[in-house]
Amino acid sequence: MEREELPTIFNLASSDPRSELIDRSGLSDETLQQIDHIMAEMGRLRAVERKISRASQRYMNLNETDMRAIRFLISAKNTSISVTPGMLAKHLVITTASVTKMIDRLEKAGHVVRTSHPTDRRSLCVTVTAETHMAAREQVGRHHAARFGAAARLSAKEREVVIRFLSETARDLEDSIASVGERAGDDA
């Protein structure tokens, strides 16, 4: 299988050539090259994940929101959680009206079924069908399971470094969203 090339759009020379966004003073050339390599590998990971997502959507004939709903329903089924349409709307961050239309479409296609809630007679539950669960497991689950090997091959100390890096990256990105939002509010 042909490997995805490392993207060059994430390197500092092409994305911030005049150091307007990132202060590089005090960092050696070796450090900057390593950081560029990390950013390129993260870009390749995102590209591969998008490729898997598109292939899975085509295979199952679903859009991205539908796939997120199916994954949520499978996770709920695996943990014995009864999912209501309201819970699904909250998880997907869409309106209950949109969820109703989505459930109608998924039910018609044989991906989900509506059932009575086990403890609240006024409420309905949405569950994934066995066929869709199996298709998702074979199509999407196997790809996601491949990540386990990379993590298992690391030492405990290496995993702690990766966990810290991913956690800090997510936090810094979330902070940047808030910061950009605050600056946009200042312009209004």
Side-chain angles (χ1 to χ4, degrees), residues 53 57 62-71 92 102:
S53 180
Q57 289 172 25
L62 298 170
N63 65 40
E64 184 178 344
T65 303
D66 295 346
M67 287 296 291
R68 288 178 47 226
I70 296 297
R71 282 193 299 269
L92 298 172
M102 181 187 65

Side-chain angles (χ1 to χ4, degrees), residues 47-79:
V48 172
E49 287 176 330
R50 282 191 302 273
K51 189 186 293 185
I52 290 169
S53 180
R54 286 190 303 270
S56 299
Q57 289 172 25
R58 280 192 306 273
Y59 175 80
M60 296 185 70
N61 198 27
L62 298 170
N63 65 40
E64 184 178 344
T65 303
D66 295 346
M67 287 296 291
R68 288 178 47 226
I70 296 297
R71 282 193 299 269
F72 181 72
L73 293 170
I74 289 170
S75 178
K77 185 176 185 177
N78 289 340
T79 55

Side-chain angles (χ1 to χ4, degrees), residues 169-186:
T169 299
R171 186 184 65 240
D172 289 352
L173 287 171
E174 287 171 343
D175 290 349
S176 77
I177 292 169
S179 173
V180 169
E182 288 170 7
R183 281 198 304 269
D186 292 343

Side-chain angles (χ1 to χ4, degrees), residues 129-144:
T129 63
E131 295 81 16
T132 295
H133 189 167
M134 185 58 67
R137 178 184 171 102
E138 291 303 313
Q139 181 61 29
V140 181
R142 296 223 181 265
H143 292 300
H144 289 298

Side-chain angles (χ1 to χ4, degrees), residues 1-112:
M1 180 180 156
E2 189 176 314
R3 296 238 182 247
E4 191 85 22
E5 277 193 46
L6 288 177
T8 57
I9 61 169
F10 300 107
N11 70 27
L12 291 171
S14 64
S15 63
D16 187 27
R18 290 176 294 286
S19 295
E20 296 168 322
L21 298 171
I22 299 168
D23 178 10
R24 300 193 271 282
S25 60
L27 297 177
S28 69
D29 286 343
E30 180 183 357
T31 297
L32 293 171
Q33 287 174 350
Q34 283 182 312
I35 293 170
D36 270 352
H37 198 166
I38 290 170
M39 296 302 124
E41 290 293 353
M42 288 177 64
R44 180 167 58 179
L45 176 61
R46 285 191 300 271
V48 172
E49 287 176 330
R50 282 191 302 273
K51 189 186 293 185
I52 290 169
S53 180
R54 286 190 303 270
S56 299
Q57 289 172 25
R58 280 192 306 273
Y59 175 80
M60 296 185 70
N61 198 27
L62 298 170
N63 65 40
E64 184 178 344
T65 303
D66 295 346
M67 287 296 291
R68 288 178 47 226
I70 296 297
R71 282 193 299 269
F72 181 72
L73 293 170
I74 289 170
S75 178
K77 185 176 185 177
N78 289 340
T79 55
S80 302
I81 294 172
S82 300
V83 177
T84 64
M87 290 170 65
L88 196 51
K90 184 176 180 180
H91 173 75
L92 298 172
V93 192
I94 60 176
T95 66
T96 53
S98 294
V99 164
T100 299
K101 288 179 186 177
M102 181 187 65
I103 293 169
D104 289 343
R105 187 177 62 255
L106 292 174
E107 188 172 45
K108 185 176 181 182
H111 293 297
V112 302

